Amino acid sequence: MASVPSLASSVNQRVADALASALPEAGGADPLLRRSDRADFQANGILALAKKAKANPRELATTVVEGIPTGDLIKEIEVSGPGFLNITVADAAIISTLAARAADDRLGVPLNPAAGTTVIDYAQPNVAKEMHVGHLRSAVIGAAMVEILEFTGEKVVRRHHIGDWGTQFGMLIQYLLEHPHELDHKSGDGDEQASGEEAMSNLNRLYKASRALFDSDEEFKTRARARVVDLQAGEPETLALWQRFVDESKIYFYSVFNKLDMDIQDPDVVGESGYNDMLVETCKLLEESGVAVRSNGALCVFFEDVKGPDGNPTPLIVQKSDGGFGYAATDLSAIRDRVTNLGATELIYVVDARQSLHFKMVFETARRAGWLNDDVKAVQLAFGTVLGKDGKPFKTREGETVRLVDLLDEAIERASAVVREKAQDLTEAEIAERGAQVGIGAVKYADLSTSAARDYKFDLDQMVSLNGDTSVYLQYAYARIQSILRKAGDARPAAHPEVALAPTERALGLHLDGFGELIAEAAAEHAPHKLAAYLYQLASLYTSFYSECPVLKADTPEQVENRLFLCELTARTLSKGMSLLGIRTPEKL
């Protein structure tokens, strides 16, 4: 089905046509339409156009109004102040437009005609290390952007750039070769699968033991460093053990992502090792083109605006003086791969704001090399820090980093208690299922309802509250609507444009109609928090409507059906919006 033009775009077109007729030289000018508390919409563009044409703005506004027909779309329009237009749309137009949206599986949201291929780099844990609270934001924000962009028609390629290469693996592998009896008998390729927690517990134990030996035994340290060379050279036994570490870690990663209700596929996991074969060529291309130069034996890229505390330029080091490769070489190789082999038109990196300087230099280097240009852009969707209730970086009482799995388990436990307290006809199994959906939804929503660039406080008590800007409030609004629809008996949702609307019905209807434009804005600005804000306002407007407008006891059968129609479309919009944020909407709570 074709996309449904919003009321705002239809009204905007009417005003633009009348404006072009009244002031021909202003053809194509934007009337600057926006929602208003004085009417449904206000057009503010006439003042600037009148000033440019040296005309009286109020007189021009009056002429424009005379050229706008009223009745079908616009109920009334008046000139306000020095030349604003206050516009009220017809009740019938609201319901007719919403009926067209309701007839479409996509709720009338258009597909972006200029859609391209976006590669999103998010959820980047490290092999042989536990995931902690710092991994939460990249995973949650990245997954939401994947869903939002795919819904607008973008081809999205997921990339999980896991830390799976480097010195620590020489240390781990050498230790394991010298202490084979310490390898847990459970593996990812045997008959008995290790659980995620068991796999990571095993790796943690090995890592700590190998680190202790590495720090205390110089001969072991030498052997471990030699093992790194073997790994980079692809020596079979070394590579096989490295693969074992990666596989064990993936069991753990997937168990955590599964708890987060996120789908991570093996082909999307392309870690640092995936670009190992490209590193030499990347350096060669940068050096031959003059983008990078040798400085004290290292291959560096310099920037006029990046200087250290001493005032001297701070370079991006692509290759170290000892021949080793840093993160920059891997990141630049990844850009080459994503642009050349994956056909990316946009690269989005969902990475901690503290890495902003690194990515600024990497992107500029790629631009100088010609891998990024006007047709291919790269952006860092930088995110802030998760804070504790005290406003400081979130730590355990002992000052340790908080394990992500512990955080999620506690959220599910708290949410299950809330669900159990409210549950009327749910079984224990259903309470457990809803508890997980509510708890994980609460964690995701708290993150996504904050602008990514800002820090936010992790407060589980607030997150699982039924009141305020929480996912639980939205989930209960959805469940309440489903309850009404179940109790409707023979009455069915049906749009009745001829039925007059109460003020809260109009407010709800106008907000529902803005869903498509909001999705386009959230996609273009990489701003899932704008979708969260829209959904919270939708639930709030629905609450006002529900408290002031009886649904099943409305005055006439037509009004009952019309209000059921508004309920159903609100539920569908809430469900679709929440799913784009990665949050479930249970039918009952």
Side-chain angles (χ1 to χ4, degrees), residues 6 12 45 57-58 143-144 183 205 208 245-246 253 287 298 308-309 315 328 331 435 448 463 474 492 508 532 554 561:
S6 68
N12 199 68
R58 192 171 173 88
L183 185 64
R205 180 175 50 78
K208 287 177 181 176
F245 285 129
V246 172
F253 295 158
E287 189 168 12
D331 288 334
L448 294 168
M463 288 179 188
L474 304 185
R492 290 286 177 266
L508 177 61
E561 291 179 345

Side-chain angles (χ1 to χ4, degrees), residues 531-554:
L531 174 55
Y534 171 89
L535 295 172
Y536 174 59
Q537 191 177 356
L538 177 60
S540 300
L541 289 168
Y542 178 77
T543 300
S544 298
F545 155 76
Y546 177 76
S547 65
E548 295 182 23
C549 297
V551 177
L552 301 180
K553 294 183 179 179

Side-chain angles (χ1 to χ4, degrees), residues 53-327:
K54 294 184 170 55
N56 181 302
R58 192 171 173 88
E59 287 179 6
L60 176 58
T62 302
T63 304
V64 170
V65 168
E66 289 170 354
I68 299 176
T70 56
D72 61 332
L73 173 64
I74 296 173
K75 180 182 178 183
E76 58 186 21
I77 180 168
E78 63 176 17
V79 180
S80 171
F84 301 124
L85 299 184
N86 286 340
I87 303 164
T88 301
V89 297
D91 287 358
I94 295 175
I95 296 301
S96 296
T97 302
L98 293 183
R101 291 198 177 286
D104 178 24
D105 288 342
R106 293 179 50 82
L107 299 172
V109 177
L111 291 167
N112 179 9
T117 298
T118 296
V119 177
I120 301 189
D121 188 323
Y122 70 109
Q124 311 105 341
N126 293 307
V127 166
K129 291 183 181 177
E130 286 187 302
M131 291 176 70
H132 55 78
V133 68
H135 290 111
L136 178 65
R137 301 208 72 186
S138 177
V140 171
I141 295 168
M145 279 313 308
V146 166
E147 296 297 328
I148 290 169
L149 287 172
E150 282 189 336
F151 188 55
T152 65
E154 191 81 1
K155 178 187 175 185
V156 178
V157 180
R158 301 154 172 81
R159 276 294 175 266
H160 308 294
H161 190 87
I162 64 172
D164 65 350
W165 207 244
T167 306
Q168 65 171 326
F169 292 100
M171 182 180 77
L172 273 165
I173 292 165
Q174 188 62 33
Y175 182 84
L176 196 53
L177 284 169
E178 296 177 12
H179 304 82
H181 60 283
E182 291 201 24
L183 185 64
D184 194 290
H185 74 281
K186 292 179 182 178
S187 75
D189 55 5
D191 292 333
E192 188 178 4
Q193 293 280 329
S195 72
E197 286 292 299
E198 288 170 330
M200 187 46 64
S201 173
N202 190 31
L203 287 172
N204 262 345
R205 180 175 50 78
L206 289 171
Y207 181 83
K208 287 177 181 176
S210 63
R211 168 55 73 180
L213 194 57
F214 186 86
D215 290 341
S216 63
D217 186 331
E218 284 299 321
E219 290 185 0
F220 175 75
K221 184 179 288 188
T222 301
R223 294 194 299 276
R225 284 177 172 157
R227 186 61 59 181
V228 176
V229 177
D230 291 339
L231 176 61
Q232 291 173 338
E235 193 275 318
E237 184 182 28
T238 304
L239 211 55
L241 282 170
W242 168 81
Q243 189 63 55
R244 173 81 184 255
F245 285 129
V246 172
D247 292 342
E248 291 275 336
S249 294
K250 279 185 179 179
I251 296 169
Y252 165 74
F253 295 158
Y254 293 166
S255 72
V256 178
F257 287 129
N258 187 54
K259 187 162 285 191
L260 254 177
D261 198 13
M262 280 176 54
D263 182 30
I264 302 287
Q265 298 292 333
D266 245 9
D268 303 331
V269 180
V270 183
E272 294 167 358
S273 63
Y275 307 102
N276 198 46
D277 294 343
M278 299 176 68
L279 301 181
V280 171
E281 187 182 14
T282 294
C283 291
K284 183 183 175 193
L285 290 169
L286 291 172
E287 189 168 12
E288 287 180 349
S289 64
V291 172
V293 295
R294 291 286 168 183
S295 177
N296 297 323
L299 185 63
C300 304
V301 182
F302 289 91
F303 309 86
E304 289 184 8
D305 59 340
V306 181
K307 292 182 170 61
D310 57 2
N312 293 322
T314 300
L316 180 72
I317 299 174
V318 184
Q319 188 177 26
K320 302 169 191 173
S321 56
D322 64 2
F325 300 101
Y327 290 123

Side-chain angles (χ1 to χ4, degrees), residues 472-491:
V472 192
Y473 176 68
L474 304 185
Q475 287 169 320
Y476 265 95
Y478 177 83
R480 177 189 287 163
I481 295 172
Q482 296 308 315
S483 175
I484 291 170
L485 294 173
R486 284 193 297 270
K487 292 174 182 174
D490 294 334

